Amino acid sequence: STTAAAAVEGSPYGTVAWRNLLDGESERNSGGKGRPLRSLLVGPGASHIIEALSLEDAVVVDTNTHGGLELQLPFADPGPLGNEVGVRVWKGNFLETPAYLAPFDQVVMASCFGSEWDAGKVKAFCPAAVIEGEDGGEDAVDFEVFLDAWLSKCSDLVRPGGLVVFQELELGDNSKAEKTFARIREAAAAKQPLANISQAQESSSSSSSSSFLCLKLPEAYAFGGSPLRLKSRVVHGFKRGSKQLGFPTANLHVPTIEDQIRSLKKGVYFGWAKVNFKDKRLGERFGKHPRKVVVNVGERPSFEDGTNVTIEVHIMDYAEAEDFYGEEMRVILLGFIRPEMKFAGIGDLVGRIRRDIGIAGKQLEDPE
């Protein structure tokens, strides 16, 4: 429309080139109901992005939690009902954005990463990323830890096929922002399920340097190398899945599949599993068809029991993990949900496992 074109032309973010990636997504991802794209925005440029993209359904995170003026947006109040389409504000730490607000079609950081994050700023969001100075010295920032936490939250809030965008002001020289984008790309490639799709759009930008970075959570959480088929004998693990967590697991024998998993990112996957039981009675109890599984590949950072990589397979709706010891299990990994995380306590870990199982179950039931 003429109004939308004028908004883009007058935007301090230029053409917002990645907007083309959203065309036609709304109807397809709303089951044909025509619901507007749902967006989450963080940063001082949120209102500019809303106007440039003519967004109708958006949540803006007000990160000022230390008093002062409330964030005011130049848009009509959608009312108290959270399921009504409109632009509303959620106040708090972005890393604590509640899951009930999700999923979003896009998460946009508007002028959040154009300048350095000092220790004080980072500590307000992610204390674990701050290294306290010795003998009264200045605190330092572990930017890798901070980026991992930020990107993990973005992945958790966006739907499969959705976008994670870092947008800075379009300047004559965006080299400073580009250095930060490079670090974000590296962090995403190393641990996250997010894929970089900026390159295809950068060629359409008239700017000599890019003012944005666009990542995408792949459809169905697909990862490089998926589907990945594994075959291994089930061995004894730490016996923690059933006793401490309430989610029995079967541990695969890593040495026999080490080459296959070498390039896998550590974290949580989902797929299907079948067990070739020697005892026909156990086979009958398990069933002839493959079962849905959630699989953890990693070093168990929430527990101090070594750093050897393990592969723990939780078979949904099947509690008899003891049945699997010594048997051959075939697993096919289809999707990568999230990277490995360290949790503050068992309660937080159990809550996250339940969420992983919910995501996996939904994806495995999807007829597509």
Side-chain angles (χ1 to χ4, degrees):
S1 69
T2 304
T3 304
V8 170
E9 186 176 345
S11 171
Y13 296 106
T15 61
V16 197
W18 48 270
R19 74 189 187 283
N20 298 321
L21 297 173
L22 305 176
D23 291 347
E25 289 286 303
S26 180
E27 186 172 348
R28 183 173 71 82
N29 290 298
S30 59
K33 298 177 182 178
R35 182 180 176 87
L37 287 158
R38 184 162 173 78
S39 307
L40 180 71
L41 300 104
V42 193
S47 61
H48 290 292
I49 297 295
I50 292 172
E51 290 176 335
L53 297 178
S54 300
L55 299 177
E56 300 175 39
D57 191 8
V59 176
V60 178
V61 179
D62 180 1
T63 59
N64 180 18
T65 58
H66 301 292
L69 296 175
E70 293 288 325
L71 177 62
Q72 299 293 323
L73 297 174
F75 308 103
D77 187 345
L81 297 178
N83 59 349
E84 291 293 325
V85 171
V87 179
R88 50 177 47 83
V89 175
W90 180 81
K91 192 178 184 69
N93 181 349
F94 169 72
L95 297 181
E96 297 173 359
T97 303
Y100 67 77
L101 292 174
F104 293 95
D105 296 294
Q106 56 180 347
V107 176
V108 183
M109 276 56 66
S111 295
C112 288
F113 286 82
S115 58
E116 285 294 324
W117 283 66
D118 60 35
K121 189 176 178 183
V122 169
K123 194 170 187 176
F125 286 91
C126 183
V130 176
I131 305 168
E132 294 187 2
E134 297 181 1
D135 300 324
E138 291 187 3
D139 293 343
V141 174
D142 189 331
F143 202 57
E144 181 180 344
V145 171
F146 176 61
L147 281 182
D148 283 342
W150 196 280
L151 291 171
S152 293
K153 189 62 181 180
C154 290
S155 299
D156 204 32
L157 292 171
V158 75
R159 63 162 177 80
L163 306 181
V164 174
V165 182
F166 294 83
Q167 175 71 64
E168 295 301 321
L169 293 172
E170 188 165 275
L171 306 172
D173 179 10
N174 284 103
S175 56
K176 190 171 184 179
E178 284 189 324
K179 288 180 181 178
T180 303
F181 293 163
R183 298 183 71 178
I184 295 172
R185 279 195 297 267
E186 185 178 345
K191 296 183 180 180
Q192 301 293 331
L194 298 166
N196 174 30
I197 59 170
S198 296
Q199 190 171 0
Q201 294 297 308
E202 287 171 356
S203 60
S204 65
S205 174
S206 59
S207 176
S208 58
S209 57
S210 181
S211 60
F212 72 93
L213 170 65
C214 191
L215 306 173
K216 184 175 185 177
L217 184 63
E219 295 282 1
Y221 295 92
F223 62 93
S226 63
L228 179 64
R229 292 173 171 80
L230 304 173
K231 182 175 73 172
S232 166
R233 177 170 51 88
V234 176
V235 297
H236 287 275
F238 296 94
K239 298 184 178 181
R240 186 165 44 223
S242 298
K243 294 180 180 179
Q244 284 185 264
L245 305 178
F247 302 98
T249 59
N251 285 59
L252 301 187
H253 187 233
V254 173
T256 59
I257 52 176
E258 200 164 15
D259 290 341
Q260 288 177 271
I261 67 169
R262 196 180 305 278
S263 62
L264 276 184
K265 296 176 182 178
K266 294 181 178 67
V268 178
Y269 296 78
F270 64 82
W272 299 91
K274 188 78 175 71
V275 181
N276 297 325
F277 287 101
K278 302 184 207 64
D279 187 329
K280 290 184 178 180
R281 290 173 301 174
L282 294 179
E284 289 174 358
R285 181 158 67 181
F286 184 85
K288 295 181 179 179
H289 302 291
R291 286 181 175 262
K292 301 173 187 176
V293 293
V294 174
V295 181
N296 185 77
V297 178
E299 300 172 352
R300 312 160 310 283
S302 297
F303 300 94
E304 296 182 359
D305 53 18
T307 57
N308 293 331
V309 171
T310 59
I311 301 180
E312 300 168 301
V313 181
H314 170 66
I315 297 182
M316 300 184 204
D317 303 319
Y318 193 86
E320 306 301 327
E322 291 81 4
D323 288 355
F324 304 134
Y325 294 131
E327 304 288 358
E328 180 187 83
M329 180 176 286
R330 296 170 183 261
V331 179
I332 178 170
L333 301 182
L334 299 177
F336 176 43
I337 299 175
R338 64 171 177 86
E340 195 168 45
M341 301 174 180
K342 184 172 183 178
F343 295 90
I346 295 294
D348 292 339
L349 174 56
V350 168
R352 181 64 234 202
I353 293 174
R354 288 193 179 120
R355 181 166 166 76
D356 295 335
I357 291 173
I359 291 172
K362 184 177 185 303
Q363 291 299 311
L364 293 170
E365 288 173 3
D366 192 330
E368 295 182 1

